[in-house]
Amino acid sequence: RGAIKFRAENVGSDTMLSGIIRLVEEAQSSKAQIQNTADKVSAIFVPTVTVIALITFLASYFLGLSLQEALDRAVAVLVIACPCSLGLATPTALMVGIGRGASMGILIKNADALEQVCKIKALVLDKTGTITSGEPSVSDLVIMDSDLLMIASSLEYNSEHPLAKAIIKYSKQENIEIHKMDEFEAVFGKGVKGKINNDDVYGGNVRFMIENNIDVRDIEDKINEFADEGKTPLIFAKNDHVIGIIACLATIKEPSKEAIKKLQNQGMKVVMVTGDHLKSATAIQKMVG
């Protein structure tokens, strides 16, 4: 309902999309070590085969074969021995591989990177949005203060985190009014804080609450219960006391389990990283193997 001024810091060729396109183009035109080797072999092999084919033609002709038969033998030597496909197949395979990867959302920096992929022994996957869907939803509420949803939605309204979006979506369904937030601050990997009507308000994980001198001992059992179920418990507090818990649940992406199993069958170690509660992470870890 107001006016916002935006300043474009990158336009045209400097945008992220242009950078991605440029990266793919550079990757497709780069040469892998195997391609350099193929080019070196071809540089020696092609003239050698051509000379052998010429010798075959001359020897066959002077040994009494007809011109047609001598030519057939020379062409046979060229077709079978000449490594033209070696020089063509490698760059073609690289270009197709990098292009196919880009169409599937996999950006390959250069041809050397593609060549090194076969040597990968471990793969690190982020949990939210990769193994699980990027759109979690509110699953449980522990209300210890009637202002819980108002404070939670007002706090999370300024955050870009997927869990924040889940809370905002739920609050809209419940017709919760969002209040003006002062001194808003997002602390990466921990939570958010600010002021509403001169009250200090906080939302985040256990560590964030402890750092802000908020006692969470009375709700530890409930936090652990949610975490054991694979849910992410977010604690909300006003001034120095807890006002409730909102638990969010992210569904596992359908192909995740199958993809992880395939990677493991190839002898690869698959590791999950997350800023989530340890028990929530362990529950997801067990679900996807």
Side-chain angles (χ1 to χ4, degrees):
R1 283 174 269 177
I4 304 175
K5 276 190 179 180
F6 289 94
R7 183 178 68 205
E9 300 198 339
N10 291 302
V11 295
S13 62
D14 295 324
T15 61
M16 184 177 286
L17 179 60
S18 296
I20 291 168
I21 293 166
R22 189 163 56 248
L23 185 72
V24 174
E25 287 173 346
E26 287 172 359
Q28 286 185 323
S29 61
S30 64
K31 279 190 175 185
Q33 187 59 44
I34 192 169
Q35 193 175 337
N36 290 326
T37 305
D39 290 345
K40 286 176 184 176
V41 170
S42 297
I44 300 166
F45 210 42
V46 171
T48 304
V49 170
T50 306
V51 170
I52 293 169
L54 185 61
I55 293 168
T56 303
F57 170 75
L58 293 171
S60 300
Y61 185 72
F62 287 114
L63 285 171
L65 294 177
S66 67
L67 181 64
Q68 182 63 51
E69 288 176 319
L71 199 59
D72 285 346
R73 290 190 178 190
V75 170
V77 171
L78 276 174
V79 170
I80 293 166
C82 189
C84 297
S85 58
L86 191 65
L88 293 170
T90 308
T92 304
L94 288 169
M95 188 172 284
V96 170
I98 291 166
R100 179 85 175 116
S103 70
M104 297 176 74
I106 303 165
L107 298 181
I108 297 160
K109 189 178 179 183
N110 52 42
D112 276 331
L114 186 61
E115 190 180 359
Q116 297 298 321
V117 165
C118 64
K119 297 178 183 176
I120 290 175
K121 301 295 180 199
L123 188 70
V124 179
L125 302 174
D126 181 34
K127 179 176 78 65
T128 307
T130 304
I131 294 173
T132 63
S133 65
E135 296 183 2
S137 58
V138 171
S139 59
D140 299 89
L141 294 174
V142 177
I143 300 172
M144 300 161 70
D145 186 305
S146 58
D147 286 337
L148 171 64
L149 281 174
M150 181 275 287
I151 288 172
S153 56
S154 300
L155 258 175
E156 301 293 3
Y157 187 75
N158 297 289
S159 173
E160 295 178 349
H161 198 281
L163 296 174
K165 291 177 181 177
I167 291 171
I168 296 300
K169 186 178 179 181
Y170 182 83
S171 297
K172 283 180 178 177
Q173 291 170 353
E174 298 295 316
N175 297 314
I176 302 297
E177 185 183 353
I178 292 171
H179 286 225
K180 183 177 178 290
M181 177 67 54
D182 297 314
E183 299 178 29
F184 174 82
E185 184 185 351
V187 183
F188 292 113
K190 294 179 182 178
V192 288
K193 62 182 178 179
K195 276 183 178 288
I196 297 178
N197 302 327
N198 293 321
D199 286 319
D200 292 318
V201 289
Y202 307 88
N205 57 27
V206 172
R207 185 172 51 172
F208 188 57
M209 294 297 136
I210 293 169
E211 285 178 4
N212 287 283
N213 302 312
I214 295 161
D215 191 354
V216 294
R217 285 175 293 183
D218 291 344
I219 57 166
E220 278 183 346
D221 289 344
K222 202 66 186 171
I223 291 168
N224 290 331
E225 182 187 321
F226 288 142
D228 285 337
E229 295 169 355
K231 298 168 184 174
T232 302
L234 295 172
I235 307 152
F236 290 89
K238 181 167 69 176
N239 296 322
D240 59 352
H241 62 278
V242 174
I243 60 170
I245 307 168
I246 299 178
C248 295
L249 180 65
T251 54
I252 292 170
K253 284 185 179 178
E254 283 299 321
S256 294
K257 193 170 183 178
E258 185 186 348
I260 290 166
K261 191 175 181 180
K262 281 183 179 178
L263 289 164
Q264 289 169 336
N265 289 340
Q266 292 173 19
M268 201 174 289
K269 182 180 181 183
V270 186
V271 180
M272 183 180 79
V273 291
T274 179
D276 209 340
H277 192 285
L278 177 61
K279 290 196 172 186
S280 301
T282 305
I284 299 294
Q285 170 213 349
K286 288 175 180 175
M287 288 180 203
V288 295

